[in-house]
Amino acid sequence: MNKIDTTLVPEPTLRRMPCYLTYLKLAQQNGAKVVSSTQIGHDMGVDPTQVTKDLSYTCIVGKTRVGYEVELLISELETFLRFNTMDCGYLFGAGSLGTALLLDHGLTQFGFEIVAAFDVNPDKIGLNIGGTTIYHTNDFKRVKHDDVKIGILTVPVEHAQEVADIMVDNGIEAIWNFTSVRIKVPDSVFVQNTSIYAHLAVIFNRLHS
Amino acid sequence: MNKIDTTLVPEPTLRRMPCYLTYLKLAQQNGAKVVSSTQIGHDMGVDPTQVTKDLSYTCIVGKTRVGYEVELLISELETFLRFNTMDCGYLFGAGSLGTALLLDHGLTQFGFEIVAAFDVNPDKIGLNIGGTTIYHTNDFKRVKHDDVKIGILTVPVEHAQEVADIMVDNGIEAIWNFTSVRIKVPDSVFVQNTSIYAHLAVIFNRLHS
């Protein structure tokens, strides 16, 4: 394990943090001012020791036998997760799932905005879906801004690698891969695989076994 | 660990299987008849030993120094994952994400169909979104069929537990929870958490660290 890895926040921690945030916001709505890691753990079904460890990655420290100040912890988590600043990204593949993401307003609440979308279907080029214009994938180089580093991949699986290559060649540094194929990218590029359909496999198995 | 747990296919295996399936279908399109676990592992970035272990949960066995018959493995995986029979489910919460799921045709390709949706917003009751009718949540008991056991949860977080309770009270046995809160259910009910927004936390962190 190299030095960089040891300083990275573990992925499971990062995935739990938005859940803590949601939990804390609900607690705040219900009037809570202070909450302990024991309470958070109990309510969320997470080991309280894990809760303390996860939250220690932010700058905030809970008080012994008291807990965390809810308002402060919410603010710290939002800053830590960068949910209170807007990151921009491009979407590749305005098909069924891509269109769904363009129409979903949830992303902006978590600090993410799709600023342009790309597709190769002539019927889609020039359309505006949910406020986002669809361009031809060939125009990516011309349309792109250098400060946008995130690309969402929702193309058909047979084009996933080819489109990932186009993204990487043009400066995308993080790919959110919604397809069910694994893509190959240079080490400097981060890939987050989010195949929601893969979760169906777990549901079907658990339901019928 | 009890007996039942040891017979369950591990979740990571179940989540990788749809990726193997997609990989194999692409390989088949490209003319492959036989593929080895070494090749699958290399192309997908998974340890070949893990590939062999994962695939051993199906009935198919690869031949030493030859590999798996692609067509047979595809068929076995589809059957094992129940992607070639249609499971039905209900959707609760026809908001932004819920509507997106209703409009996404990808689910049916993986053997899942949303047969009815429920919401409490009067403006939505009676609408038909992507071929699915929206009913009032209060009408769930009246509308539901006893053979539908899967419920998708896409309501606002503050109503997640309450709606989960309604599902459980009326015979839902598996909840696909897209909200960013953890819900409490009896042990007999399976919950699959799929908070896509939580993955944004990982992307932001990796991109900016």
Side-chain angles (χ1 to χ4, degrees), chain B residues 43-201:
Chain B
D43 290 344
M44 286 182 53
V46 179
D47 186 323
T49 317
Q50 186 67 61
V51 175
T52 311
K53 198 174 169 186
D54 286 345
L55 294 178
S56 73
Y57 285 98
T58 68
C59 295
I60 203 170
V61 181
K63 290 178 192 156
T64 314
R65 272 193 280 271
V66 180
Y68 302 93
E69 283 180 51
V70 174
E71 195 179 338
L72 197 62
L73 188 50
I74 287 173
S75 159
E76 279 291 328
L77 273 172
E78 284 186 327
T79 304
F80 183 83
L81 295 171
R82 297 180 63 92
F83 283 173
N84 53 6
T85 55
M86 199 59 80
D87 269 87
C88 295
Y90 297 123
L91 180 124
F92 292 81
S96 176
L97 180 60
T99 300
L101 290 172
L102 290 173
L103 294 173
D104 177 21
H105 308 298
L107 292 170
T108 55
Q109 292 166 28
F110 287 83
F112 187 69
E113 192 187 350
I114 302 171
V115 289
F118 300 88
D119 204 294
V120 292
N121 182 342
D123 296 342
K124 290 192 176 156
I125 315 301
L127 289 184
N128 182 301
I129 301 178
T132 308
T133 303
I134 318 293
Y135 299 91
H136 196 287
T137 306
N138 290 346
D139 289 331
F140 177 51
K141 200 169 179 173
R142 182 178 60 78
V143 172
K144 79 179 171 81
H145 291 270
D146 288 343
D147 52 346
V148 178
K149 300 293 184 190
I150 302 174
I152 301 179
L153 189 61
T154 47
V155 299
V157 288
E158 56 271 33
H159 300 296
Q161 185 61 56
E162 168 195 344
V163 172
D165 291 343
I166 293 172
M167 287 195 215
V168 171
D169 289 346
N170 290 285
I172 292 297
E173 294 177 5
I175 298 178
W176 197 0
N177 178 22
F178 279 86
T179 79
S180 52
V181 283
R182 302 292 170 98
I183 49 169
K184 290 181 179 181
V185 297
D187 286 345
S188 58
V189 176
F190 175 73
V191 177
Q192 173 67 53
N193 292 306
T194 304
S195 175
I196 63 169
Y197 307 126
H199 287 186
L200 274 176

Side-chain angles (χ1 to χ4, degrees), chain A residues 9 15 19 22 81-82 87 96 104-105 110-111 176 180-181 192 194 196-197 199 202-204 206 208, chain B residues 9 15 19 22 81-82 87 96 104-105 110-111 176 180-181 192 194 196-197 199 202-204 206 208:
Chain A
V9 184
R15 283 200 298 264
C19 298
T22 303
L81 294 171
R82 297 180 62 93
D87 269 87
S96 176
D104 177 21
H105 309 298
F110 288 83
W176 196 1
S180 52
V181 283
Q192 173 67 53
T194 304
I196 63 169
Y197 307 125
H199 287 186
V202 184
I203 295 172
F204 293 162
R206 295 305 189 247
H208 297 287
Chain B
V9 184
R15 283 200 297 264
C19 298
T22 303
L81 295 171
R82 297 180 63 92
D87 269 87
S96 176
D104 177 21
H105 308 298
F110 287 83
W176 197 0
S180 52
V181 283
Q192 173 67 53
T194 304
I196 63 169
Y197 307 126
H199 287 186
V202 184
I203 295 173
F204 293 162
R206 294 305 189 245
H208 297 288

Side-chain angles (χ1 to χ4, degrees), chain A residues 62-125:
Chain A
K63 291 176 193 156
T64 313
R65 273 192 279 270
V66 180
Y68 303 92
E69 283 180 51
V70 174
E71 195 179 338
L72 198 61
L73 188 50
I74 288 173
S75 158
E76 279 292 327
L77 273 172
E78 284 187 327
T79 304
F80 183 84
L81 294 171
R82 297 180 62 93
F83 283 173
N84 53 6
T85 55
M86 199 59 80
D87 269 87
C88 296
Y90 297 124
L91 180 122
F92 292 80
S96 176
L97 180 60
T99 300
L101 291 173
L102 290 173
L103 294 173
D104 177 21
H105 309 298
L107 293 170
T108 55
Q109 292 167 27
F110 288 83
F112 187 69
E113 191 187 350
I114 301 172
V115 289
F118 300 88
D119 203 294
V120 292
N121 182 344
D123 296 341
K124 291 192 174 155
I125 315 301

Side-chain angles (χ1 to χ4, degrees), chain A residues 9-206:
Chain A
V9 184
E11 273 199 42
T13 294
L14 286 170
R15 283 200 298 264
R16 276 189 295 267
M17 281 182 171
C19 298
Y20 295 140
L21 184 59
T22 303
Y23 170 86
L24 291 163
K25 284 184 174 176
L26 285 179
Q28 190 180 41
Q29 280 175 31
N30 293 328
K33 302 283 181 200
V34 176
V35 66
S36 68
S37 50
T38 311
Q39 188 64 45
I40 299 174
H42 174 265
D43 291 343
M44 286 182 55
V46 180
D47 186 323
T49 317
Q50 185 67 61
V51 176
T52 311
K53 198 173 169 188
D54 286 345
L55 295 177
S56 73
Y57 284 99
T58 68
C59 295
I60 203 170
V61 181
K63 291 176 193 156
T64 313
R65 273 192 279 270
V66 180
Y68 303 92
E69 283 180 51
V70 174
E71 195 179 338
L72 198 61
L73 188 50
I74 288 173
S75 158
E76 279 292 327
L77 273 172
E78 284 187 327
T79 304
F80 183 84
L81 294 171
R82 297 180 62 93
F83 283 173
N84 53 6
T85 55
M86 199 59 80
D87 269 87
C88 296
Y90 297 124
L91 180 122
F92 292 80
S96 176
L97 180 60
T99 300
L101 291 173
L102 290 173
L103 294 173
D104 177 21
H105 309 298
L107 293 170
T108 55
Q109 292 167 27
F110 288 83
F112 187 69
E113 191 187 350
I114 301 172
V115 289
F118 300 88
D119 203 294
V120 292
N121 182 344
D123 296 341
K124 291 192 174 155
I125 315 301
L127 290 184
N128 182 300
I129 300 178
T132 307
T133 303
I134 318 293
Y135 299 91
H136 196 287
T137 306
N138 290 346
D139 289 332
F140 177 50
K141 200 170 179 173
R142 183 178 60 79
V143 172
K144 78 181 172 80
H145 291 269
D146 287 343
D147 52 346
V148 178
K149 300 293 184 190
I150 301 174
I152 301 179
L153 189 61
T154 47
V155 299
V157 288
E158 56 270 34
H159 300 296
Q161 185 61 55
E162 168 195 344
V163 172
D165 291 343
I166 293 172
M167 288 195 215
V168 171
D169 289 346
N170 290 286
I172 292 297
E173 294 177 5
I175 298 178
W176 196 1
N177 178 23
F178 280 85
T179 79
S180 52
V181 283
R182 302 293 169 98
I183 49 168
K184 290 181 178 181
V185 297
D187 287 344
S188 58
V189 175
F190 175 72
V191 177
Q192 173 67 53
N193 292 307
T194 304
S195 174
I196 63 169
Y197 307 125
H199 287 186
L200 273 176
V202 184
I203 295 172
F204 293 162
N205 181 271
R206 295 305 189 247

